[in-house]
Amino acid sequence: MRKLLLGTTALAAAATLSANAALADVSIGGYYEWVYQSRTSDVATNDGTSMATDSEIKISFKNKTDSGLEVGMAVELESDSAGIDESNMYIKGGFGQLILGQQDGAADKFAIDAEDVVSEEIQATGTDSLALIDTDVVDSSDANKITYIMPGMGGFSAGVSFVDNGTNSTSGAQDTVELGAQYTVDAGGATITIGGATSNTEQISGTVDSESSNIGVSVTSGNITAKIAQATSEATNADEEANGVGVSFKVSDTMTIGAYTIKIDDSTGTADEEYTNTGAEVAYKIASGLTAYLNISDYDYKTGAGTGAGTTADNGTVSKLTIKAKF
């Protein structure tokens, strides 16, 4: 009798698990990166070689409701630091998509960055006070937010995000609003995408709001993709502008090469900083899910005469080898 009871209980539990699993699509994935980097720098503490790792586990669920809505959630775990990178849920239907939680917002989704022609970016100064590190918009990153993405209309898509930065009205940053849009069209065998984004964070009374914007164009023709972009960032004692261009070429099914150059200026008079970064990448697909990236970046940072500039002028070269496995 006891064996029969245990067997019946086990079968019931298995049936329950199977029924619950059938209600939702479950996906588990992740990646692991191993990095070896060599840097020559005018700043002694930056000069030398190093190794690093970066890894993540992503678990996602999605389900269809009786009314036809798609509901899902995702959690990204930083396995190296045992922390949560992103955690959010979404509701998707004919009205568009609503995303709630810790996730990149509309500005990040629609901005076009010239450095996106490479997979492994290198920003190497470490002594500057610049908010811009490339031609991407300065946004709210993974802060808890509400994002709405409208349904696509032809080649046009757009979205808006809102971040509530708390109830403290006497100090620090207040609410953040992000807007972004893209328009894609096919012309003469090429795919052309024009995109732009803005992010505005209110500050306390008497302090300049933090504002950032991006506009860019991406053109893909055959195996060649070219991007040109501009970004700005304005805040108290900061008026930065970044301009850049990048090109990538798919040599074969296993190899892609890319190169970019970016220049950033802050000419407020309290900083007078200037930063240039020119880099290249060779990406080689070793096997399915396994890729090697070889990057090199030549950079130059000038502090200028402003009192609000970074601590030390610096220039040098960074070389980086990355082995990445995706699951």
Side-chain angles (χ1 to χ4, degrees):
M1 176 63 72
R2 183 180 180 187
K3 290 183 178 180
L4 178 62
L5 179 61
L6 290 174
T8 305
T9 303
L11 288 173
T16 302
L17 288 173
S18 298
N20 289 336
L23 294 175
D25 293 330
V26 182
S27 174
I28 301 176
Y31 69 82
Y32 193 97
E33 287 186 352
W34 179 87
V35 178
Y36 179 79
Q37 181 171 294
S38 175
R39 178 171 176 176
T40 61
S41 171
D42 287 345
V43 179
T45 55
N46 293 334
D47 195 81
T49 59
S50 63
M51 292 184 182
T53 61
D54 180 32
S55 57
E56 181 178 276
I57 299 171
K58 181 177 181 179
I59 305 171
S60 59
F61 305 82
K62 67 177 180 180
N63 190 18
K64 283 278 190 178
T65 67
D66 293 339
S67 59
L69 293 176
E70 180 178 309
V71 180
M73 66 163 285
V75 177
E76 297 181 6
L77 306 174
E78 294 284 356
S79 50
D80 278 10
S81 61
I84 295 178
D85 180 27
E86 293 179 348
S87 175
N88 57 84
M89 65 170 288
Y90 70 86
I91 305 168
K92 188 175 182 180
F95 65 91
Q97 185 174 12
L98 187 66
I99 305 170
L100 308 170
Q102 301 173 34
Q103 173 65 290
D104 294 321
D108 177 81
K109 181 177 177 64
F110 293 102
I112 293 176
D113 179 14
E115 204 173 1
D116 283 344
V117 295
V118 300
S119 298
E120 296 293 322
E121 301 176 353
I122 298 177
Q123 287 91 24
T125 61
T127 61
D128 65 283
S129 63
L130 294 165
L132 291 171
I133 56 175
D134 48 28
T135 55
D136 205 353
V137 65
V138 179
D139 60 14
S140 59
S141 188
D142 294 333
N144 192 1
K145 62 174 66 68
I146 301 172
T147 298
Y148 169 69
I149 306 298
M150 64 173 287
M153 297 186 297
F156 181 77
S157 55
V160 58
S161 297
F162 173 75
V163 181
D164 188 334
N165 283 314
T167 59
N168 186 350
S169 60
T170 60
S171 64
Q174 305 303 299
D175 299 339
T176 299
V177 175
E178 297 179 9
L179 299 169
Q182 284 187 358
Y183 179 70
T184 300
V185 62
D186 292 328
T191 301
I192 303 173
T193 300
I194 302 172
T198 65
S199 178
N200 181 283
T201 301
E202 297 179 353
Q203 303 290 334
I204 60 173
S205 178
T207 304
V208 177
D209 290 349
S210 297
E211 300 179 354
S212 182
S213 64
N214 159 277
I215 187 169
V217 178
S218 177
V219 180
T220 298
S221 179
N223 293 330
I224 300 175
T225 296
K227 298 179 185 287
I228 183 170
Q230 180 187 73
T232 62
S233 177
E234 298 181 8
T236 302
N237 297 327
D239 187 3
E240 303 172 17
E241 181 178 304
N243 294 278
V245 60
V247 179
S248 68
F249 175 62
K250 186 178 180 181
V251 180
S252 65
D253 290 339
T254 58
M255 180 179 292
T256 302
I257 59 175
Y260 63 88
T261 183
I262 292 170
K263 182 178 180 181
I264 304 172
D265 290 291
D266 183 358
S267 55
T268 58
T270 59
D272 294 333
E273 295 171 278
E274 181 181 297
Y275 172 63
T276 58
N277 181 9
T278 300
E281 176 185 85
V282 177
Y284 180 74
K285 183 179 178 181
I286 302 170
S288 179
L290 182 63
T291 306
Y293 302 92
L294 180 61
N295 295 76
I296 186 168
S297 171
D298 185 78
Y299 68 94
D300 185 16
Y301 170 65
K302 296 180 175 65
T303 62
T307 58
T311 56
T312 309
D314 186 17
N315 73 84
T317 302
V318 181
S319 301
K320 183 174 73 168
L321 171 65
T322 303
I323 306 296
K324 184 172 185 176
K326 297 178 67 176
F327 305 93

